[in-house]
Amino acid sequence: MVEWTDFERATIKDIFSKIDYASVGQQALARCLVVYPWTQRYFGNFGNLYNAAAILGNPNVAAHGLTVMRGLEKAVKDLDNIKSTYAELTVKDLDNIKSTYAELSVLHSEKLHVDPDNFRLLADCITIVTASTLGASFSAEMQAALQKFLAVVVSALGKQYQ
Ligand code: HEM
């Protein structure tokens, strides 16, 4: 069994230490709401989501983007407990990380009724915004590590649906 490499652990921690949660969270959530407009239906109480400029300027979007990034930080802190391979992620890693996201998974499924396909869409927006924030220093290996990490989170958030 290949474990997460030291490079991956260090890279994920490094990425999260370099990015501004408020900025990346706001931009990623806004991008998700623009690119995948059906995701707006879950945020009916957020006010004006009329167009891309309104979404980017919406303070509720900004606040919630930050909340999502703080949610991700919990998993960054859990990284040292994640042991298995990417191929085995859905089987093994969830045992370690699922408790971190158990409550959030219940909230998103049973209370908010968020379609779990949307988790990956938001995760992809986080990758894109991180890439544009870090620019040329965001190497392919860094992207691979970040996407592996986000895949674990997405699986854990979807746990309640399985
Ligand atoms: C609430 C994290 C994806 C919709 C939350 C909260 C967190 C969170 C930490 C606050 C929970 C609380 O107040 O106790 C995440 C993470 C995601 C994710 C880490 C994936 C990377 C999504 C997606 C949607 C969504 C894709 C919908 C398309 C919501 C809604 C709320 C919420 C509607 C309640 C917002 C409010 O009224 O304040 N999420 N979420 N989430 N999430 Fe997510």
Side-chain angles (χ1 to χ4, degrees):
M1 185 174 82
V2 182
E3 298 195 349
W4 285 57
T5 65
D6 289 343
F7 171 82
E8 285 167 341
R9 277 181 229 278
T11 299
I12 293 159
K13 289 182 178 173
D14 184 48
I15 289 170
F16 277 83
S17 75
K18 281 187 179 140
I19 57 174
D20 174 358
Y21 288 5
S23 167
V24 171
Q26 174 186 30
Q27 291 181 64
L29 181 58
R31 192 174 276 259
C32 183
L33 292 166
V34 172
V35 179
Y36 312 110
W38 59 88
T39 58
Q40 293 176 20
R41 70 188 290 270
Y42 303 103
F43 300 98
N45 60 341
F46 271 26
N48 185 356
L49 302 175
Y50 184 63
N51 56 30
I55 290 171
L56 250 189
N58 184 314
N60 291 317
V61 172
H64 192 60
L66 180 57
T67 300
V68 169
M69 295 306 289
R70 288 193 175 137
L72 291 180
E73 189 181 42
K74 287 187 191 171
V76 175
K77 289 183 175 153
D78 263 5
L79 262 186
D80 293 331
N81 299 323
I82 300 173
K83 298 261 186 272
S84 69
T85 64
Y86 194 21
E88 293 168 5
L89 275 182
T90 52
V91 183
K92 302 236 178 197
D93 284 320
L94 291 178
D95 288 341
N96 294 313
I97 205 169
K98 76 179 179 196
S99 58
T100 303
Y101 284 104
E103 267 182 46
L104 267 185
S105 184
V106 171
L107 175 81
H108 285 84
S109 64
E110 290 172 18
K111 189 165 170 232
L112 302 170
H113 306 294
V114 174
D115 183 331
D117 288 349
N118 293 319
F119 298 143
R120 195 177 56 78
L121 301 180
L122 179 57
D124 286 350
C125 288
I126 291 168
T127 301
I128 290 166
V129 173
T130 300
S132 72
T133 301
L134 297 182
S137 71
F138 189 65
S139 65
E141 290 90 346
M142 287 170 76
Q143 179 179 342
L146 179 61
Q147 288 195 200
K148 173 173 170 176
F149 169 76
L150 290 171
V152 176
V153 172
V154 166
S155 298
L157 276 176
K159 194 71 182 165
Q160 198 60 28
Y161 297 80
Q162 287 157 16

